[in-house]
Amino acid sequence: MQHAMAFMQISRGSVLSSTQLTQTGPVELKPGESLQLTCTVSGVQVSGYYWSWNRQPPGKRMEWLGFIQHSINGGNAYYNPTFSSRASISRDTSRNKVYLQLSSLTVADTATYFCAKASQFGKAVEHPSKNHTLT
């Protein structure tokens, strides 16, 4: 049995589809530190789609952290109010990457995190990446 989050272990992967998402991030983090994840997109341009970050705590429902719009709608980021003070979502269209930063980690942030191509409103997951798991 694992104890409260003493560190974070990251598992990396991607999905099989014409849109491929690959996440990278740190191997270990401690409570109080910041989580920084990178989602590298291939098969489509990040500028042309909405991208969301989501997580699923153990034994609980998926939680939506926020999304970033496609360029036509301004490329602005919007957040779940629960995470708005700690989350930051950005993108680099020249590198085709989408980023998540979540600050001030606590045991409650233990979850599987993933990026996804999203619907126009940023919540419907269309092509989730494999994931990063905090334990």
Side-chain angles (χ1 to χ4, degrees):
M1 180 174 176
Q2 295 182 341
H3 298 283
M5 184 179 74
F7 61 89
M8 180 177 71
Q9 294 181 335
I10 305 287
S11 60
R12 297 182 174 99
S14 61
V15 294
L16 299 175
S17 72
S18 59
T19 302
Q20 184 171 340
L21 309 177
T22 304
Q23 288 180 226
T24 58
V27 176
E28 292 186 2
L29 287 176
K30 297 177 182 176
E33 294 183 332
S34 293
L35 170 64
Q36 295 183 359
L37 297 177
T38 300
C39 184
T40 302
V41 179
S42 60
V44 297
Q45 294 298 312
V46 296
S47 60
Y49 296 90
Y50 281 58
W51 300 95
S52 68
W53 282 95
N54 309 273
R55 73 180 192 182
Q56 186 162 15
K60 296 184 180 178
R61 296 175 58 182
M62 183 178 74
E63 298 175 321
W64 168 75
L65 291 115
F67 71 90
I68 193 163
Q69 296 174 314
H70 56 57
S71 293
I72 293 172
N73 283 359
N76 299 308
Y78 295 89
Y79 302 96
N80 178 332
T82 302
F83 304 105
S84 63
S85 66
R86 299 191 300 130
S88 175
I89 296 172
S90 59
R91 66 181 186 184
D92 183 334
T93 56
S94 66
R95 295 182 179 180
N96 227 36
K97 295 178 186 286
V98 183
Y99 305 99
L100 169 69
Q101 180 170 332
L102 186 65
S103 62
S104 304
L105 294 176
T106 70
V107 173
D109 293 312
T110 298
T112 297
Y113 289 76
F114 59 95
C115 62
K117 191 168 92 169
S119 72
Q120 181 176 354
F121 301 104
K123 293 187 181 180
V125 174
E126 295 178 13
H127 294 284
S129 63
K130 177 64 175 173
N131 59 46
H132 283 74
T133 303
L134 267 92
T135 56

